[in-house]
Amino acid sequence: MNPLDQNGRTEKEFLAQYDPGDYPRPSIASDIVIFTVTSAAEDNYRKLPEKELRVLLIKRGGHPFLGKWALPGGFVRPTESVGEAALRELREETGVRSAYLEQLYTFSEPGRDPRTWVVSCAHMALLDSSGLEVRAGDDAGEVDWFRLCCTPLPEDDAPERLLATRRCRLELSNGADALFAVVEEASVHGAEYKILDNGGLAFDHAKIIACGLKRLRDKVEFTDLALNLMPEKFTLTQLQQVYEVILQRPLLKAAFRRKIAHLVSGTEEYTENAGHRPSRLFRRRPRGSG
Amino acid sequence: MNPLDQNGRTEKEFLAQYDPGDYPRPSIASDIVIFTVTSAAEDNYRKLPEKELRVLLIKRGGHPFLGKWALPGGFVRPTESVGEAALRELREETGVRSAYLEQLYTFSEPGRDPRTWVVSCAHMALLDSSGLEVRAGDDAGEVDWFRLCCTPLPEDDAPERLLATRRCRLELSNGADALFAVVEEASVHGAEYKILDNGGLAFDHAKIIACGLKRLRDKVEFTDLALNLMPEKFTLTQLQQVYEVILQRPLLKAAFRRKIAHLVSGTEEYTENAGHRPSRLFRRRPRGSG
DNA sequence: CAAATAGTGTCTTTAAGACATTATTAT
DNA sequence: ATAATAATGTCTTAAAGACACTATTTG
C-alpha cells in the first residue's frame, strides 16, 4: 500500500524531494479557430441572404510576423488546462463566456515559432453569430472576422505518392485584406499538414485553420455540431444553409429535413413579413427527449 | 517587406534579442497506446483461435505510481515533434521502426502528474502482432501486453445531466495482473474523460486508454485503419475477427465482405491444412488501384 | 461421412437521392 | 396575379441486415 523505491523512500518522500531538473521545457500555447456563420447583406428584394463561414483573426502588432494575421491564442498557465486557456482567450477576444469548444490537434514541429520552443494545442470554437461583437483585446491591434473559403486543388500526378494527400487553397477575406494559403493534408496518421504557399497568415496558423475546417466538415454530417452555430430559434432553411456553407455543396431539402429531424424540435412560432410563406421556427432538441 | 515594430526593430533584430522570459513552462510528454490483435491459444480441434485486443503497458519501477502499470511514454525533446517522440518511444519499447501512428488528444489537467507540470500528448499506434517481441527498455522494469476489454455501464438515472455522458469499465489483464478502471466520457467537446475508479493504472492513463479505444472504434468502421493491425497476407475471416474484437460485436459475414471489398485485393494463395476448406489470402489494396 | 470454415446468392429493410407537387405569404 | 420560400409526398437508388445455401477441406 505504501511501497518504497530503490532508495527506500515512500512516494510522499520522493515527491517532497523531487527536482524537476533542467531538461529543456517548451512554452505551451493554446490557439483557437473560432467559427461562426453570418448572413451576407441581403441584396435583392425578398430573397434570403447568403450564409458565410467566418473565422476570427487578429493582426499581429509586434514581431514575429508583424502585420500578419494570426489566430487568437496565448500561453497556458500552470493552473489551467489547455481547454481552459482556450476559453479564456475566447472570452478575451469576443466577450463570449461559453461556447462549444473542441480540442483539435497539437502542433509541435520544431521551429514553428521563431522565438523559442512553443508547442501549440489547437482548438476550435463554434459561436452563434447573433449579437456577436468583436471586442479588441488589450494587446491586439486589429481583430476581424474573415470569410473562409476552401477550394480543393487537383491531385498532382506525381509518380507514386506513398501517402494519400490532398491539397486545398484557403482564402480568407474581411473586405480590406485578402489572405490565402495552399495546404497539403496527408490523410494518414490523423492529420499531417504542410504549408505550400502562404499569403498573410502568421506562424503555422494556415495548418490550424485547415485542421479546424476539416474537423468541422467531417463531424457536421453525422453529429449535431452545426446546432452550436445557430441562435436559439431558427428555421430549417437557415440550418440547411449552415450545413451547405460548411460542406460547400447544395443539399436536397427533403432529404436534409429527414436527416436532421431528430436533432430539432418545432416551436409554434413562425417567421413574419418575409415576403413569402412564413417558416416555422425550431430549436435544438434537448438531450434525452427523443 | 521588412516592417519595424514600435521599437524600430526588424524581425531579425527582434529575434536576436528575444528573451523567453521566465513564464513557467511545462514538461511535455508523449504517451502512446500501442494496440495489437493477437490470437488466443487455440484450444479445440480445428477451430479458429479467438482474437484479443491488446495494449502494451510498463510496470513503473520508481515513484510516482511505483508498481502501477503505465503507458509507454517519455519527454519530448526540443528537436523533435510530439509524433517523433512517440515513434522513438515505440521503437525503444517494441523494436518496431515504423507503424501507423495517430495523435489522439492532449491531456493537460493541472496536477495530472504529481511531480511537476507535465502536459501529455497522447498517441495511438497500431501493430501487426506477427513476429512481435517485447523488448524491455533500459529504464523499464516489466513490459507486457494486456488484453483489453471494455464494458459499457448502464446510464445512471441522475436527475438531468447537462451533458450526454457514458460510463464504461476497462479491464486489462496479462494473466498475472488484472487492472481495471471506470471511466466517464462526456461526448461533448470532443473528448472529456473522468476517472471514477482505478485499479492499478498509473497517472491518468485510464483516460488515455479509453480515448484511444474510442478513436479506434470510431474510425475502424469507416476507414481502413484495421488493415494496420494485419500481417501482409490474411484471410477475410481474420480481418473480420479483428473488426469484431475492436467493435466487441459480431458482424454478418456477407455484409462485412461487401463493405471491405474495396480495401483489399485477393492473391492466388490459400491457407492449408486447416481441417476445413482453404481460405483465400488477401492483402491490403495499394492506393490508387481501385 | 462429419465437422468445421469458405464463399456467395438473394430477399428484406433502411436510408439517401431526385424531383414533383401543394401551400402560404407580401407586394 | 406574381415571385418568392415552405413543406411534404413518393418514386428510385444504394447500402446494410438477415439468412439460407453451396463448396471444400481434413480426420
Side-chain angles (χ1 to χ4, degrees):
Chain A
M1 217 57 212
N2 222 338
L4 307 181
D5 66 9
Q6 303 138 326
N7 306 313
R9 290 182 299 192
T10 64
E11 181 160 337
K12 205 168 181 178
E13 290 162 355
F14 165 84
L15 290 173
Q17 292 168 28
Y18 179 74
D19 173 13
D22 40 22
Y23 293 105
R25 292 173 166 225
S27 288
I28 184 151
S30 195
D31 290 316
I32 178 164
V33 188
I34 308 172
F35 287 109
T36 195
V37 176
T38 59
S39 297
E42 41 184 298
D43 38 354
N44 282 15
Y45 153 75
R46 75 161 74 157
K47 279 229 179 107
L48 286 179
E50 292 226 332
K51 296 286 183 182
E52 299 177 338
L53 180 64
R54 290 185 177 264
V55 167
L56 193 71
L57 295 179
I58 300 176
K59 193 172 197 167
R60 288 196 52 82
H63 291 307
F65 298 104
L66 175 62
K68 309 278 189 197
W69 291 86
L71 293 168
F75 291 113
V76 178
R77 301 172 183 163
T79 53
E80 66 187 1
S81 68
V82 294
E84 287 161 355
L87 280 178
R88 182 166 52 75
E89 295 297 329
L90 175 67
R91 197 170 59 239
E92 285 172 11
E93 300 303 341
T94 66
V96 171
R97 298 215 144 252
S98 90
Y100 180 84
L101 182 77
E102 174 170 332
Q103 194 189 106
L104 290 174
Y105 196 76
T106 294
F107 292 85
S108 60
E109 198 180 312
R112 58 173 295 283
D113 189 313
R115 290 170 292 191
T116 175
W117 186 18
V118 181
V119 169
S120 167
C121 193
H123 295 76
M124 74 173 177
L126 305 182
L127 297 187
D128 152 30
S129 72
S130 68
L132 253 197
E133 288 280 323
V134 173
R135 194 173 75 182
D138 336 346
D139 56 339
E142 285 182 63
V143 182
D144 207 358
W145 291 98
F146 281 69
R147 188 181 193 290
L148 174 61
C149 251
C150 175
T151 29
L153 298 180
E155 291 291 311
D156 85 27
D157 283 335
E160 295 312 78
R161 293 189 162 278
L162 279 173
L163 304 176
T165 60
R166 278 174 302 176
R167 294 168 178 205
C168 68
R169 180 185 173 88
L170 301 175
E171 313 223 31
L172 296 120
S173 67
N174 67 343
D177 279 285
L179 320 175
F180 73 91
V182 178
V183 176
E184 181 176 271
E185 178 213 327
S187 61
V188 186
H189 291 206
E192 298 281 300
Y193 292 93
K194 211 184 288 182
I195 296 175
L196 303 177
D197 198 358
N198 184 0
L201 285 160
F203 302 100
D204 54 1
H205 288 186
K207 287 186 194 181
I208 301 180
I209 293 168
C211 181
L213 182 58
K214 177 172 162 48
R215 179 75 60 92
L216 181 60
R217 284 190 176 169
D218 285 350
K219 290 186 82 165
V220 82
E221 281 196 272
F222 64 97
T223 70
D224 61 354
L225 213 54
L227 291 165
N228 296 293
L229 293 161
M230 306 307 294
E232 197 205 332
K233 291 173 190 164
F234 51 84
T235 69
L236 295 186
T237 300
Q238 285 164 357
L239 183 60
Q240 182 173 342
Q241 287 176 321
V242 167
Y243 275 73
E244 287 174 336
V245 79
I246 290 170
L247 298 171
Q248 290 199 358
R249 78 183 143 85
L251 302 175
L252 292 164
K253 181 151 69 171
F256 175 77
R257 287 174 183 227
R258 277 191 306 242
K259 193 176 148 92
I260 56 88
H262 69 287
L263 302 178
V264 298
S265 59
T267 69
E268 293 310 313
E269 295 174 65
Y270 289 81
T271 57
E272 281 170 30
N273 301 322
H276 49 75
R277 175 171 168 178
S279 182
R280 187 172 199 167
L281 293 174
F282 288 75
R283 56 161 55 95
R284 184 177 196 157
R285 165 164 287 177
R287 296 174 191 292
S289 67
Chain B
M1 214 58 214
N2 221 337
L4 308 181
D5 67 8
Q6 303 138 326
N7 306 313
R9 289 182 300 190
T10 64
E11 181 159 338
K12 203 168 182 180
E13 289 162 356
F14 165 84
L15 290 172
Q17 292 170 27
Y18 179 74
D19 173 14
D22 40 23
Y23 294 106
R25 292 172 166 225
S27 287
I28 183 152
S30 194
D31 290 317
I32 176 165
V33 189
I34 308 173
F35 288 110
T36 196
V37 176
T38 59
S39 297
E42 42 184 298
D43 38 354
N44 282 15
Y45 152 77
R46 75 162 74 158
K47 279 229 180 109
L48 287 179
E50 292 225 334
K51 297 285 181 182
E52 298 176 337
L53 180 64
R54 290 185 175 264
V55 167
L56 192 72
L57 295 179
I58 299 177
K59 193 172 196 166
R60 289 195 51 82
H63 290 307
F65 298 104
L66 175 61
K68 310 279 188 194
W69 291 85
L71 293 168
F75 291 113
V76 178
R77 300 170 184 166
T79 53
E80 66 188 2
S81 68
V82 293
E84 287 160 356
L87 280 177
R88 182 166 52 76
E89 293 298 328
L90 175 68
R91 199 170 58 238
E92 284 170 13
E93 299 304 341
T94 66
V96 171
R97 299 215 143 253
S98 89
Y100 179 84
L101 182 77
E102 175 170 330
Q103 194 188 107
L104 291 173
Y105 196 76
T106 295
F107 293 84
S108 60
E109 199 180 311
R112 57 173 295 282
D113 187 314
R115 292 169 292 190
T116 175
W117 186 18
V118 181
V119 169
S120 168
C121 191
H123 295 76
M124 75 173 175
L126 305 182
L127 297 187
D128 151 32
S129 72
S130 66
L132 251 197
E133 288 281 323
V134 173
R135 192 174 76 181
D138 336 345
D139 55 338
E142 283 181 66
V143 183
D144 207 359
W145 290 99
F146 280 69
R147 187 179 194 291
L148 175 60
C149 253
C150 175
T151 28
L153 298 179
E155 292 292 312
D156 86 27
D157 283 334
E160 293 314 79
R161 294 190 162 275
L162 278 174
L163 304 177
T165 60
R166 277 175 302 175
R167 294 169 177 206
C168 68
R169 180 184 174 86
L170 301 175
E171 312 223 32
L172 296 120
S173 68
N174 67 343
D177 279 286
L179 320 176
F180 73 91
V182 178
V183 176
E184 180 176 271
E185 178 213 330
S187 60
V188 187
H189 292 206
E192 297 281 301
Y193 292 93
K194 212 184 287 183
I195 296 175
L196 303 176
D197 198 359
N198 184 1
L201 285 160
F203 301 100
D204 53 0
H205 288 186
K207 287 186 194 181
I208 301 181
I209 294 168
C211 181
L213 183 58
K214 175 170 165 50
R215 180 76 61 93
L216 181 59
R217 284 189 174 169
D218 284 351
K219 288 186 81 165
V220 82
E221 282 197 273
F222 63 97
T223 70
D224 61 354
L225 212 55
L227 291 164
N228 297 292
L229 293 161
M230 307 306 293
E232 195 206 334
K233 291 172 191 165
F234 50 85
T235 69
L236 295 186
T237 299
Q238 285 165 357
L239 183 61
Q240 182 173 343
Q241 287 176 322
V242 168
Y243 274 74
E244 286 173 339
V245 79
I246 291 170
L247 297 172
Q248 289 198 1
R249 78 184 142 85
L251 302 176
L252 293 164
K253 181 152 68 169
F256 175 76
R257 286 171 184 230
R258 277 192 305 242
K259 192 177 149 91
I260 56 87
H262 69 288
L263 302 177
V264 299
S265 58
T267 70
E268 291 311 312
E269 293 175 68
Y270 289 81
T271 57
E272 280 171 31
N273 303 320
H276 49 74
R277 174 171 169 179
S279 184
R280 187 170 199 169
L281 293 175
F282 287 75
R283 56 160 57 92
R284 185 177 196 156
R285 165 162 286 173
R287 295 172 192 292
S289 65

